[in-house]
Amino acid sequence: MREEQTSRNLDRAFVGSVLSAAKSGKGAVLLYEGAAQTGKTWVLGEVLGLAADAGFATTRLGAGEHPAVAAAERAEPAVVAIDDVHRASPGFARELLAMVATGTRTVWVLARESGAGCPEVERLCQVLGGTRSELVPWTEDETAGYLADRLHAEPDLALTRLANTAGGNPALLEALVDGLSHEGFVEVGDGRARLAKPGLPESVLPAVLDRVLRLCGEQLARDALVELTRAALPAGDLPARDPRETMARATEAWCSGELSRGLRLAYRAISESGRLAVDERPAEVEIAAAVVLADASRFDECDTILATVRDRMRWTGQTRWEAPWSAAKARRLAKAGRLRDAVAVVNGHDSAELSSPELAVLALAALRDGDIAKSARYVRRCKLIEGDPAEYGSVVLQLAEAQYGHGHALSLFKEMYGTGRRLRELLVREPAMAALIVRVALCGDDLPTARWVCELIGELAEDDLPAFRAADLHARGLSRRDTGLLSQARLLYADSWSRARVVEDLADIASPRTANALQEALSLYSEAAAARDFARVRSRLRSVGVYDTYARFSGIPGATFRDLTDKQESIVRLVADGLTNHQIANQVFVTTHTVNFHLRKIFRKTGVNSRVELAALYKSWASSELPRSG
């Protein structure tokens, strides 16, 4: 039977009972499994120590040594420990299986990495009659206990939090404590151990990195080190030697939910970027800062930075920052509710080279237009390029709700965002998603999930940024069915679509004013060019007997031009505006040859024979009275 325990929580009483039984002639096998660096080797040493104290002859082997040697050289009763069994050869595994099956008084203590090893090793582990124990990372209490044992003092809160970022990895904890102790960053006195200096200085990092990779050599250790480094940064905000380092700190702070600190560091990085020469990538710092400002709804400042970067790229002739610049610009436009403008920016690049955030913009635009299949294709491309799920997770959840309903969206949310860290990253990226998650949770009678989301978005709203305050009010208003909170959220949201969604929720709660609220939502969805939402609300109005609505859809739903790609439609618009092919090429960042290629395909799809005819047809179609909401 597999039982979970940690290397610091070894069941010594059980080991003692196994040893007692072995003295009476009953052999056993103890198998300890676990991920890399969960303390398996340490456990073997502890068991051998208990065995030696009980009078057993003990032997410790590696997976490359012959198991028969240990059995022949030691008189029974004996305890034989074999580490890293997953590295054993097939022949070793078969012989070991034969020896443990002889029924002698030998106690075999084995350790292996879970699920690893050749088929013979897997067969050995499956047929062993002894107890199999799964070693898991240390708990926070055990980490604190380790600190107390090592430092002979009670660790303070800051030191404990820093140690917990190692994720319960014993090797990393040991390397961390060694590094801090040797460099004088831990102070012990009056029975307390505390950090004597803020953060984790750079001078400690190389020692920690070298020790961890030398001891572990596994991706788990690398990941834990990254988390450790990130967690150390908020303690001090010490000046960085390089603006790019400052910006990395800003981005990390922002994504982890430390919004005020992230903004402060972003502004610092912008001011420091002036120290970099043009060929030392100041654009990298400024574009990253613009993204943070866009997320904070500081749109004017974001525009100023992006304009500066654009001007510099033009007079220096640099083109390598075109793609990141366009991605940042599209994000800024989408954040402000200008989704069609964002799509036009994205379509100015080769579709095969689009990043995950750019594909997410296209997926959201397709979903708003009602083209669910197209939206799903863009989402699949996001997943294929292995982008950060926080960059497209909001579209995934909205698409799931549109395709399969609230229940599926709730299940998918639980699958994708089972931890507070992941959900916080999603809400930092798209705070308005808090309301959607609360909505689907309430539809599924899942009150704990609704409360959890409200709690997290409430924490983010403490930094008093309008987008997060609006999202907090919206989520809590839904959860409590409080029209006052929802009305406040409506005033704070910066984009028409989010305001429309709040008003639609108000309509659900305030039934006497349903028709008026839905009329307002219809108008706002029209302003946001959200064809799918417009159609849904228009249908709701008809269901309550309202057919003659005042709102008209102001977007451009596909009709004659529905079969065009997004890039082709943007080219048609520029043709209709009277631009030459050369001017169009400059606008969408392609060559004139590519413009000609697209125009030939557009002519075939629309059945026209000239640019003049195309422009006239498009203007007639775009200016026609588009579906009246009644």
Side-chain angles (χ1 to χ4, degrees):
M1 181 179 202
R2 185 186 298 268
E3 298 179 353
E4 282 193 355
Q5 59 183 287
T6 68
S7 57
R8 279 189 63 83
N9 192 29
L10 177 65
D11 191 342
R12 289 173 171 78
F14 174 73
V15 173
S17 67
V18 170
L19 295 175
S20 297
K23 286 185 175 180
S24 303
K26 185 178 181 181
V29 179
L30 300 177
L31 174 61
Y32 294 95
E33 300 179 293
Q37 310 311 316
T38 48
K40 300 183 292 298
T41 300
W42 185 88
V43 165
L44 293 189
E46 288 294 296
V47 173
L48 288 178
L50 292 173
D53 291 343
F56 282 79
T58 62
T59 302
R60 187 165 190 160
L61 302 178
E65 300 179 64
H66 204 287
V69 175
E73 291 182 350
R74 297 293 184 183
E76 296 182 302
V79 175
V80 180
I82 304 179
D83 203 355
D84 295 330
V85 173
H86 56 280
R87 295 195 173 101
S89 66
F92 181 102
R94 286 193 293 268
E95 184 170 354
L96 181 58
L97 179 59
M99 294 189 68
V100 300
T102 58
T104 65
R105 287 184 290 170
T106 300
V107 176
W108 299 86
V109 188
L110 313 179
R112 76 152 182 168
E113 188 174 322
S114 300
C118 62
E120 286 77 5
V121 168
E122 186 62 36
R123 194 174 302 114
L124 166 70
C125 294
Q126 289 177 353
V127 302
L128 290 178
T131 299
R132 300 174 68 182
S133 297
E134 181 77 16
L135 294 177
V136 296
W138 290 357
T139 65
E140 293 186 359
D141 287 342
E142 288 171 330
T143 297
Y146 169 79
L147 290 175
D149 292 344
R150 277 290 308 273
L151 302 173
H152 306 291
E154 190 71 21
D156 70 355
L157 182 59
L159 182 57
T160 302
R161 285 177 175 172
L162 183 59
N164 284 335
T165 62
N169 182 327
L172 181 57
L173 279 168
E174 182 181 7
L176 169 63
V177 175
D178 285 348
L180 291 174
S181 299
H182 294 161
E183 294 290 332
F185 288 96
V186 175
E187 182 179 82
V188 178
D190 300 325
R192 300 281 294 177
R194 61 186 65 85
L195 285 174
K197 303 177 184 179
L200 187 63
E202 291 182 9
S203 60
V204 174
L205 283 175
V208 175
L209 177 62
D210 176 72
R211 181 73 181 276
V212 169
L213 297 185
R214 178 161 45 83
L215 290 178
C216 306
E218 301 286 349
Q219 188 61 43
L220 175 67
R222 295 176 185 270
D223 293 344
L225 182 64
V226 170
E227 291 301 318
L228 166 67
T229 306
R230 288 173 174 173
L233 295 176
D237 276 357
L238 300 176
R241 295 177 298 182
D242 191 319
R244 285 164 289 193
E245 182 182 341
T246 302
M247 193 60 236
R249 295 181 182 183
T251 301
E252 175 57 33
W254 181 264
C255 292
S256 63
E258 297 179 81
L259 305 183
S260 294
R261 178 174 175 269
L263 266 178
R264 184 174 66 253
L265 287 173
Y267 284 122
R268 180 189 297 176
I270 293 168
S271 64
E272 291 174 351
S273 66
R275 303 202 310 254
L276 293 174
V278 171
D279 59 353
E280 290 184 321
R281 302 184 294 179
E284 176 185 11
V285 174
E286 293 162 341
I287 291 173
V291 169
V292 172
L293 293 175
D295 286 354
S297 301
R298 306 283 176 88
F299 299 129
D300 290 342
E301 294 167 278
C302 177
D303 288 340
T304 299
I305 293 171
L306 291 177
T308 300
V309 174
R310 165 63 79 189
D311 290 343
R312 187 187 303 120
M313 287 192 296
R314 283 174 175 166
W315 61 259
T316 60
Q318 289 186 347
T319 58
R320 58 177 171 166
W321 301 110
E322 287 283 359
W325 184 92
S326 295
K329 184 68 173 180
R331 181 164 175 170
R332 174 264 182 269
L333 292 169
K335 282 285 185 179
R338 296 167 56 185
L339 198 54
R340 289 195 178 278
D341 291 336
V343 168
V345 171
V346 172
N347 283 336
H349 290 278
D350 185 347
S351 63
E353 298 179 357
L354 295 179
S355 64
S356 182
E358 291 172 308
L359 290 169
V361 167
L362 297 179
L364 181 59
L367 181 60
R368 297 272 176 88
D369 283 341
D371 194 339
I372 291 177
K374 186 177 182 181
S375 180
R377 287 196 298 271
Y378 284 128
V379 167
R380 284 195 295 272
R381 285 182 60 186
C382 286
K383 295 177 179 178
L384 285 174
I385 64 175
E386 298 183 350
D388 183 353
E391 294 174 339
Y392 58 85
S394 63
V395 185
V396 171
L397 294 178
Q398 292 177 71
L399 183 62
E401 183 188 31
Q403 287 180 303
Y404 307 112
H406 297 306
H408 183 76
L410 180 59
S411 298
L412 188 61
F413 162 74
K414 291 182 176 180
E415 178 183 333
M416 294 179 65
Y417 301 100
T419 66
R421 179 182 64 82
R422 288 191 175 184
L423 177 57
R424 187 176 288 104
E425 289 176 352
L426 173 69
L427 296 180
V428 167
R429 174 83 186 193
E430 294 293 344
M433 285 303 297
L436 181 143
I437 300 167
V438 168
R439 192 181 300 113
V440 299
L442 294 176
C443 288
D445 293 325
D446 189 346
L447 297 182
T449 293
R451 285 194 292 268
W452 181 43
V453 174
C454 288
E455 178 183 346
L456 283 182
I457 192 63
E459 292 174 2
L460 295 175
E462 291 176 0
D463 284 289
D464 205 30
L465 296 174
F468 295 91
R469 287 172 51 209
D472 174 43
L473 291 166
H474 192 176
R476 286 191 290 120
L478 277 174
S479 180
R480 302 175 185 178
R481 298 183 65 82
D482 187 325
T483 58
L485 293 176
L486 292 176
S487 297
Q488 292 180 57
R490 181 200 176 285
L491 296 175
L492 284 175
Y493 273 128
D495 63 292
S496 300
W497 189 89
S498 296
R499 291 201 301 273
R501 186 64 261 194
V502 176
V503 174
E504 195 176 348
D505 288 331
L506 273 168
D508 291 335
I509 295 174
S511 53
R513 294 161 41 208
T514 294
N516 290 337
L518 288 178
Q519 287 267 21
E520 182 182 356
L522 193 71
S523 179
L524 288 168
Y525 282 134
S526 174
E527 182 181 324
R532 180 176 175 274
D533 299 293
F534 184 94
R536 183 187 66 252
V537 173
R538 184 177 60 181
S539 177
R540 290 188 62 183
L541 278 166
R542 288 175 171 173
S543 70
V544 295
V546 178
Y547 294 90
D548 186 18
T549 62
Y550 59 80
R552 297 172 184 272
F553 186 70
S554 60
I556 303 178
T560 306
F561 294 86
R562 181 175 289 280
D563 292 334
L564 299 184
T565 65
D566 293 326
K567 180 170 288 187
Q568 288 168 350
E569 185 177 341
S570 66
I571 289 174
V572 171
R573 289 177 185 152
L574 295 173
V575 168
D577 289 338
L579 275 66
T580 65
N581 284 7
H582 180 70
Q583 291 171 325
I584 293 172
N586 289 335
Q587 285 282 335
V588 297
F589 305 104
V590 298
T591 65
T592 54
H593 175 76
T594 302
V595 174
N596 284 326
F597 171 76
H598 282 302
L599 282 175
R600 287 195 296 272
K601 297 187 72 171
I602 292 167
F603 286 174
R604 286 197 299 270
K605 287 183 177 181
T606 58
V608 301
N609 298 310
S610 68
R611 295 166 61 90
V612 174
E613 185 179 354
L614 177 66
L617 179 63
Y618 183 82
K619 289 178 178 179
S620 174
W621 170 73
S623 63
S624 62
E625 189 172 41
L626 293 170
R628 180 176 170 78
S629 56

